[in-house]
């Protein structure tokens, strides 16, 4: 049902932080992911023209325009691919003669690996469907976002899209898609940033090369990672923090087996454990970016100081943030 001529909509979506499941999630194993309260917002406005305009200063785009007929054609700048392809696909299903202006605003740096691409895709999809009052469920919103990401990247697990849509802490498997909220009173984690932006495409190529060379060995690591995620869900729900910490340590060992840890990550992880953290692991792709340390009330401050003394930066975020929402 089309809406009553509402001209401008703003939606926001949170970033994400992976706790376990790195790389294995792309191969059908479960992951545990939580949404962070740093978010990205997108405003979509009808412009009375047959053009698509994007202003995304946080993504390095000051002004970008295309006619509706040219959407998805020619080489697309990296920063606009997900939004443009999603809009193209949307118009194929819901044709419009009038174009839109899109403006983005981010609360977090894309350097942190919090998922700016997924957040902007989800926020844009929510704003766009709301602009035309299409009552999309979370599952439908996921599908339109996932389709765009697959078209751009060729492969994706979708866990970051799920985190941006549902928020909170999730147990996620793809394929088949399983999105199961893990309802927790608290998630006592300190996030440390190495100062190094991970080169995710290179790491993925490395993992794929290893998978081709020694498939049985790498598949066993993936299976072990999946079991850690299954166990982690159970221990989180039981608030068994000692066991949770042990599972994070086990996950980090699997990341070492895959060769995606780094000197900087190990330095922060070891400093956290020495300062009293119950467990610690890299978050996401590795090679840099962030690590997470499980703490109790006594060790939280000491662990944060240890991360900074080891050359890292503590990222002040609240976890289990709400999912995508309309802001106006």
């Amino acid at each position: 049902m089309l809406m009553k001529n509402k001209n401008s909509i703003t939606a926001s979506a949170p970033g994400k932080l992976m706790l376990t499941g790195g790389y294995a999630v792309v191969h059908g194993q479960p992951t545990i992911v939580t949404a962070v309260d740093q978010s990205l917002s997108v405003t979509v406005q009808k412009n009375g023209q047959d053009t698509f305009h994007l202003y995304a200063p946080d993504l390095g785009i000051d002004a970008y325009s295309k006619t509706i007929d040219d959407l998805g054609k020619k080489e697309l700048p990296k920063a606009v691919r997900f939004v443009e392809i999603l809009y193209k696909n949307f118009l194929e299903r819901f044709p419009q003669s009038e174009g839109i202006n899109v403006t983005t605003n981010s609360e977090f740096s894309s350097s942190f690996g919090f998922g700016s691409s997924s957040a902007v895709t989800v926020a844009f999809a929510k704003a766009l469907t709301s602009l035309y009052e299409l009552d999309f469920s979370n599952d439908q919103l996921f599908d339109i976002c996932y389709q765009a990401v697959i078209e751009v990247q060729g492969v994706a697990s979708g866990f970051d899209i799920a985190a941006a849509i549902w928020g909170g802490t999730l147990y996620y498997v793809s394929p088949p898609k399983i999105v199961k909220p893990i309802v927790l009173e608290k998630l006592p984690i300190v996030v440390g940033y190495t100062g190094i932006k991970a080169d995710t495409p290179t790491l993925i190529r490395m993992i794929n090369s290893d998978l081709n060379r020694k498939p049985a060995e790498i598949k066993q690591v993936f299976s072990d990672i999946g079991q850690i995620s299954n166990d982690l869900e159970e221990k989180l729900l039981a608030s068994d923090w000692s066991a949770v910490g042990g599972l994070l340590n086990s996950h980090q060992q699997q990341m070492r087996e895959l060769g995606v840890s780094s000197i900087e990550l190990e330095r922060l992880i070891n400093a956290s454990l020495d300062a009293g953290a119950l467990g610690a692991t890299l978050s996401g792709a590795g090679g840099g970016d962030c690590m997470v340390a499980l703490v109790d009330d006594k060790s939280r401050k000491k662990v944060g100081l240890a991360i900074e003394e080891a050359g890292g930066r503590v990222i002040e975020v609240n976890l289990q943030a709400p999912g995508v929402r309309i802001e106006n």
Side-chain angles (χ1 to χ4, degrees):
M1 184 174 72
L2 295 183
M3 83 189 313
K4 302 170 185 174
N5 201 27
K6 186 170 261 190
N7 226 23
S8 177
I9 290 284
T10 298
S12 67
K16 54 74 184 169
L17 197 65
M18 177 187 276
L19 301 185
T20 59
Y23 296 98
V25 65
V26 182
H27 297 271
Q29 296 293 340
T31 185
I32 306 294
V33 60
T34 189
V36 302
D37 66 349
Q38 292 187 14
S39 62
L40 192 148
S41 66
V42 176
T43 298
V44 179
Q45 184 176 32
K46 297 175 184 178
N47 62 23
Q49 305 168 1
D50 66 344
T51 53
F52 164 71
H53 298 288
L54 175 65
Y55 176 65
D58 298 305
L59 302 177
I61 302 294
D62 290 327
Y64 179 83
S65 297
K66 264 191 179 178
T67 65
I68 287 176
D69 289 341
D70 281 339
L71 290 172
K73 298 177 182 176
K74 303 177 183 177
E75 187 68 24
L76 308 183
K78 183 179 179 181
V80 309
R81 289 174 189 167
F82 299 107
V83 169
E84 182 171 333
I85 293 300
L86 192 149
Y87 185 43
K88 173 185 73 72
N89 293 344
F90 175 85
L91 291 178
E92 289 172 358
R93 293 177 58 187
F94 307 102
Q96 308 290 331
S97 58
E98 181 181 12
I100 55 174
N101 297 335
V102 180
T103 304
T104 73
N105 182 52
S106 177
E107 291 181 350
F108 59 82
S109 168
S110 60
S111 299
F112 297 155
F114 281 173
S116 58
S117 296
S118 54
V120 73
T121 303
V122 168
F124 174 62
K126 183 69 171 179
L128 182 64
T129 54
S130 298
L131 182 69
Y132 295 102
E133 204 168 79
L134 296 164
D135 189 18
F136 272 39
S137 66
N138 281 350
D139 286 331
Q140 289 172 311
L141 204 63
F142 180 95
D143 289 342
I144 194 173
C145 292
Y146 188 65
Q147 178 190 2
V149 172
I150 287 292
E151 192 168 331
V152 171
Q153 294 184 170
V155 63
S157 69
F159 81 93
D160 45 359
I161 297 171
I165 293 173
W166 277 271
T169 299
L170 302 174
Y171 173 96
Y172 176 87
V173 182
S174 173
K177 187 174 91 257
I178 298 173
V179 182
K180 190 184 347 175
I182 303 174
V183 181
L184 305 171
E185 287 187 12
K186 63 177 182 177
L187 188 56
I189 279 174
V190 172
V191 182
Y193 178 57
T194 60
I196 297 171
K197 175 65 176 171
D199 184 359
T200 304
T202 297
L203 290 167
I204 290 173
R205 285 193 294 271
M206 181 190 76
I207 297 295
N208 288 339
S209 175
D210 287 347
L211 186 59
N212 288 330
R213 287 190 304 105
K214 43 184 181 180
E217 183 178 331
I218 298 302
K219 286 178 181 177
Q220 183 60 55
V221 174
F222 289 162
S223 178
D224 292 343
I225 292 170
Q227 187 58 54
I228 289 168
S229 293
N230 284 327
D231 293 343
L232 183 61
E233 179 196 18
E234 176 187 340
K235 299 306 180 183
L236 283 170
L237 288 170
S239 298
D240 186 345
W241 300 116
S242 177
V244 169
L247 288 166
L248 294 183
N249 290 336
S250 296
H251 182 264
Q252 178 59 20
Q253 184 56 42
Q254 298 305 319
M255 295 297 101
R256 295 180 185 118
E257 292 287 336
L258 289 177
V260 297
S261 193
S262 68
I263 293 171
E264 295 81 8
L265 281 164
E266 293 293 338
R267 187 180 296 129
L268 301 191
I269 287 167
N270 289 331
S272 298
L273 296 173
D274 289 344
L278 300 174
T281 185
L282 63 82
S283 173
D289 275 348
C290 292
M291 50 74 66
V292 294
L294 183 73
V295 297
D296 55 25
D297 291 340
K298 293 180 180 178
S299 65
R300 175 177 287 275
K301 186 173 181 180
K302 190 177 178 183
V303 167
L305 289 172
I307 287 172
E308 293 181 342
E309 288 172 0
R313 172 182 169 188
V314 173
I315 307 299
E316 299 291 347
V317 290
N318 293 313
L319 308 182
Q320 310 198 89
V324 66
R325 58 186 178 184
I326 297 298
E327 299 288 357
N328 65 336

